[in-house]
Amino acid sequence: MAKYTLGIDFGTESGRAVLVDVADGSEVATAVYPYLHGVIDEKLPISDKEVRLEPDWALQDPEDYLRTFQVAIPAVMKESGIDAADVIGLGIDFTACTMLPVKADGTPLCFLPEFHDRPHAWVKLWKHHAAQPEADKINETARRMGLKWLDRYGGKISSEWFFSKVLQILDEAPEVYAAADRMIEAADWVIWQLTGVESRNSCTAGYKAIWSKREGFPDQSYFKTLDPRLEDVVDEKMSRIIQPMGDRAGGLTEQAAKWTGLVPGTAVAIANVDAHVAVPAATVTEPGRMVMIMGTSICHMVLGTEEQIVPGMCGYVEDGIIPGYFGYEAGQSCVGDHFAWFVENCTPASYVQEADHLSIDIHQLLEEKAARLKPGESGLLALDWWNGNRSVLVDVDLTGLLLGATLATKPEEIYRALIEATAYGTRVIVDTFQDNGVPIWELVACGGLPEKNKLLMQIYADVTGREIKVSASTQTPALGSAMFGAVAAGKASGGYDTIYEAATTMAHLKGETFKPIPENQGVYERLYTEYLRLHDYFGRGGNDVMKTLKKIKAEVKHVS
Amino acid sequence: MAKYTLGIDFGTESGRAVLVDVADGSEVATAVYPYLHGVIDEKLPISDKEVRLEPDWALQDPEDYLRTFQVAIPAVMKESGIDAADVIGLGIDFTACTMLPVKADGTPLCFLPEFHDRPHAWVKLWKHHAAQPEADKINETARRMGLKWLDRYGGKISSEWFFSKVLQILDEAPEVYAAADRMIEAADWVIWQLTGVESRNSCTAGYKAIWSKREGFPDQSYFKTLDPRLEDVVDEKMSRIIQPMGDRAGGLTEQAAKWTGLVPGTAVAIANVDAHVAVPAATVTEPGRMVMIMGTSICHMVLGTEEQIVPGMCGYVEDGIIPGYFGYEAGQSCVGDHFAWFVENCTPASYVQEADHLSIDIHQLLEEKAARLKPGESGLLALDWWNGNRSVLVDVDLTGLLLGATLATKPEEIYRALIEATAYGTRVIVDTFQDNGVPIWELVACGGLPEKNKLLMQIYADVTGREIKVSASTQTPALGSAMFGAVAAGKASGGYDTIYEAATTMAHLKGETFKPIPENQGVYERLYTEYLRLHDYFGRGGNDVMKTLKKIKAEVKHVS
């Protein structure tokens, strides 16, 4: 009798449920629930008064997550016609750090009448960017105290991460902080709603909340220095019990079974993060093969057997991706977004007409025109910093650069130069890992871009000098979650005992791969040398003009 | 009885005749003759065979110049209703260096059946760019011989100039060279056609043919070293009699009187160049006031009382613009062209729709949007080298740079950054003159741009910190030519004895001027500091990436 597991992928705008055959990972049915309130960045979605949000805020409504269970799971069950008894497990993945303050019983503060009009009582979405002063304080304090854990995060804690957001609540709404019995990742909170048991996963704890398997959380003395009221935050509002990836969080409660139509007691895996859960779904459970989740940005993940300090990565966590390995993460903050910006702001009307005439997408037209160019033919070189630089410079104040333009420069040449720039950015990351003891011999891509832009994939292969394989699934996070659901169920119930076994049968690559073309590599090697020189000149203090311009911009805007 | 003079302005695509009242310079009538063959850059306009041209070639047909006399002058006479007897003089200005090989009687070689299918027998237009190897040889030879005259031209003779073109004829078509009795600027050739007398003007001789009032042409030994066949080029095919601006070249011949409908013997001024003749037409006949002719490119001219070596200018010539002064010239090779490139290649369809909706030009829409931004608000900085850098770096291999882009960057911000970049480029030129003993306290603009783009004018004022006045005439070259026609006629005939007197009454400024706005100046001062640092880093050898990219591009294209 065939067995199935469910993967639920909580994205920024919607939740997605995918029902997967445990035997081979084939995707039987998919349903998407578009969140009712989505990203809340203008005003709170409450009817009794108007509460507007400051710039840089981004909240969500926990009810949207529950509705995903209530709508998307029944939908896939219905579509598939599968008996709920044959669904042996369930896993979820989430954006991170996306966190919320809750009561001891798990009730979100924003559900309570006395707090529903307080922005700080709602879920802070990963891209809530209003906690920069708190992040600065966290970093300065750690540097002043000489704390080594900063090195695990490329030397800098982001404003997006857990304690930056917690500290912002404490700073701006101390009564919300006081009323919160628990501060928790939304990933862990939804697992709590399914199982009735609070658990904390090693992935978000490690990558977003400064936890490590060997050293735990930062000392109380650090939190006390940061703010005396924060001294006991871990023991009062969090937990020191952190479970590794692959653990079973518990079984489905009666109530959750009613929401979903599944059988009570169905195995539920510990929570996971969308990017990290994609790694085994892309067939990677061993060192040396870097997974690139390619979309609006790129998230790079690679496993290592040893603890290495690699400059400028986002972080590394033991057991953070696959148990038994150090999971290293790096990132590029502007990839798909880059091309979308270009299309919206720089593509001339004549190209839009041409695309219309050919009945193709404007991206496709640009790709076709750009594909006719040879490496080096445009004479252009760009720095891919339109949204700052995450890895390896960790500097949000860097900005984009385009060099080499002439009066003969065409839009497709700029478009190709932007693609190439992001490829050079990936090359910097790959080389930095390699040079710091985390070898990489192959790249495995997943996400939306590999499907959409084959020129881009070939350029990445040529620039990095590495073969790029592509995940067969177009829903790798959900597949990965379903795989962890199968591990939570275990072999005895028809699943697997380890994620390695699950990956062997459930995860697949496409037949098509992208191999470096030697003559292209030769040209790109020369161009990359030039890229690196500009990268270091503008990115490592040779010329701080980008920061100076930002400073002038801020002053000028302030005066107005 | 009112007296009139004619100014004929020979442009790249057409010839323009303007009839002017000598008393106050008012323009009575204008006619334009669009050249039949215009710029010949694909194949010769002959019917008996197909002769295709190499890339970078640009020729013209001398017949187009004669037709300008035959068509445009009768047209203005007819339109004005003026009696030909009241037209006391005529002046012309031309693009330069635009030159041709002719027989001893002035017949262009391309008019002869035996040479009409030889490209080298035709007029080489100023933008004929196929003589770069010859220019390189001219420069190398002069440097090797330690010849000081190179300093007069910013250290480099251009491929566009006279001897580069002569040497290309000798190299590639020695029989055309041998058959040519005279090598002559088209400017001087048309005066010859009007007066029957060969004359040579100090402006083209000085700026384009390495002549100076004090030292004459380069020595025979130099020409011999360049090519033994060239040893006597000056004495054999040119002339050492060079006439200063303001001289009378002669009187109209019977034949020219028939072509034009003017009276035989009408005074004809020595030939002039379009940019230089605009100086007195913009009211400038004294040092300290720089004239900027602003169009696709900018030509900067200023007078000085002393001989100064100013790095990177295009050249300086004693009596070359106004008798009694050193005329200094500098240039920016990409200004109006820059904005045209941007509109064609980088303006999104939504902006074109918006402009259509508002029934305004897309340039106007961009200008209006850009005008709403404050200096420094875009966070962008550009190097205006889309077409290389003429002054002060004298380097055609430099290319454009845009820095500071983010995902929030809008088209109008880039548009404004490009305008600002050209303003910084002008500031470099102004400061270089000032720092090298050629003071500049005021700018006077003419050409098409000041009319079209007031935002640009204000930015130039803010960036240079100098008031910018604007010539009242929209046809300054033709007006300048008409003024020199009045000087050729002389006071006794109802004209003027000097160009100073002519300028006092015939040239005017608009009432509207552009004054620096102090708060803008403060921001631009800071941005200019950053511009200069990038300018020197990329332009003076700190990082030769622009040249490296061009080299790679050339190699890649060559392989294909």
Side-chain angles (χ1 to χ4, degrees), chain B residues 319-342:
Chain B
D319 297 349
I321 299 175
I322 298 291
Y325 292 109
F326 288 89
Y328 293 86
E329 184 190 351
Q332 279 178 274
S333 40
C334 179
V335 184
D337 275 352
H338 210 161
F339 316 131
W341 171 84
F342 180 79

Side-chain angles (χ1 to χ4, degrees), chain A residues 175-196:
Chain A
E175 63 291 0
V176 170
Y177 181 83
D181 298 318
R182 321 295 292 154
M183 293 283 188
I184 192 164
E185 280 278 345
D188 291 325
W189 182 78
V190 297
I191 294 297
W192 188 354
Q193 301 313 297
L194 290 179
T195 62

